[in-house]
Amino acid sequence: MLLIVLLQASTDVSGLISLYREVGAMLVGIGFICAGLSVLKKLITNHEKTKEAIITYVVALVVWLLIWSLI
């Protein structure tokens, strides 16, 4: 919290942008962890839908990495 206040107090906007980017990356990482746990749950409970869930997870991960590399 103190870091955010210090960054807002400065006139340099690039520090604030990098902070937002870092926080966004953490939130997306948490989302992918939750999605991975969902794939594992589907592997255990419903074997028929596992292949679709894995493909969806991998495609989402690749798309996110491509978008992140463009930023």
Side-chain angles (χ1 to χ4, degrees):
M1 186 65 159
L2 180 63
L3 179 63
I4 294 172
V5 172
L6 290 175
L7 284 174
Q8 287 179 348
S10 71
T11 58
D12 187 20
V13 179
S14 64
L16 190 59
I17 291 172
S18 67
L19 178 66
Y20 286 147
R21 185 175 182 192
E22 184 178 333
V23 169
M26 283 188 231
L27 290 174
V28 169
I30 291 169
F32 275 114
I33 288 172
C34 292
L37 291 173
S38 172
V39 170
L40 287 176
K41 179 184 174 197
K42 196 162 289 217
L43 176 68
I44 294 169
T45 60
N46 192 356
H47 299 289
E48 294 83 25
K49 302 269 183 174
T50 303
K51 183 178 176 182
E52 296 169 7
I54 291 173
I55 290 171
T56 303
Y57 181 79
V58 170
V59 168
L61 185 61
V62 168
V63 168
W64 169 250
L65 290 173
L66 289 174
I67 290 172
W68 193 253
S69 68
L70 293 175
I71 294 179

